[in-house]
């Protein structure tokens, strides 16, 4: 994913740690397909996350946070 590459490279000398929260969404896309993942995690007709999407990121963060 281009966004992941851009932000990961940006963080090399500027961030304490880089968290890639695209991984859980791609994993879900691979399990239930693009449309299934979109309607499960995003507001219909929008690019913003719904409650499920925010929960997925929160759980992913808590699993990775040291």
């Amino acid at each position: 994913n281009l966004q992941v590459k851009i932000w990961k490279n940006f963080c090399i000398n500027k961030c304490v740690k880089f968290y890639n929260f695209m991984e859980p969404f791609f994993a879900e896309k691979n399990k239930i397909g693009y449309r299934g993942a979109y309607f499960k995690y995003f507001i219909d007709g929008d690019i913003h996350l719904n409650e499920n999407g925010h929960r997925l990121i929160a759980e992913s963060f808590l699993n990775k946070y040291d």
Side-chain angles (χ1 to χ4, degrees):
N1 181 287
L2 180 59
Q3 287 296 316
V4 172
K5 289 177 186 175
I6 289 170
W7 288 109
K8 190 173 185 176
N9 287 335
F10 174 83
C11 282
I12 288 173
N13 294 315
K14 297 174 185 72
C15 305
V16 174
K17 186 167 183 172
F18 174 74
Y19 294 96
N20 179 5
F21 294 116
M22 298 293 271
E23 292 171 348
F25 291 102
F26 283 118
E28 283 292 302
K29 178 189 72 85
N30 291 338
K31 279 195 270 185
I32 62 176
Y34 170 81
R35 289 181 55 80
Y38 173 80
F39 288 111
K40 184 174 181 180
Y41 296 108
F42 292 86
I43 297 169
D44 188 14
D46 199 344
I47 61 167
H48 294 94
L49 298 171
N50 63 20
E51 185 177 341
N52 292 328
H54 285 283
R55 185 176 294 112
L56 182 62
I57 288 193
E59 290 170 355
S60 297
F61 173 76
L62 292 173
N63 287 332
K64 291 182 178 188
Y65 183 73
D66 297 331

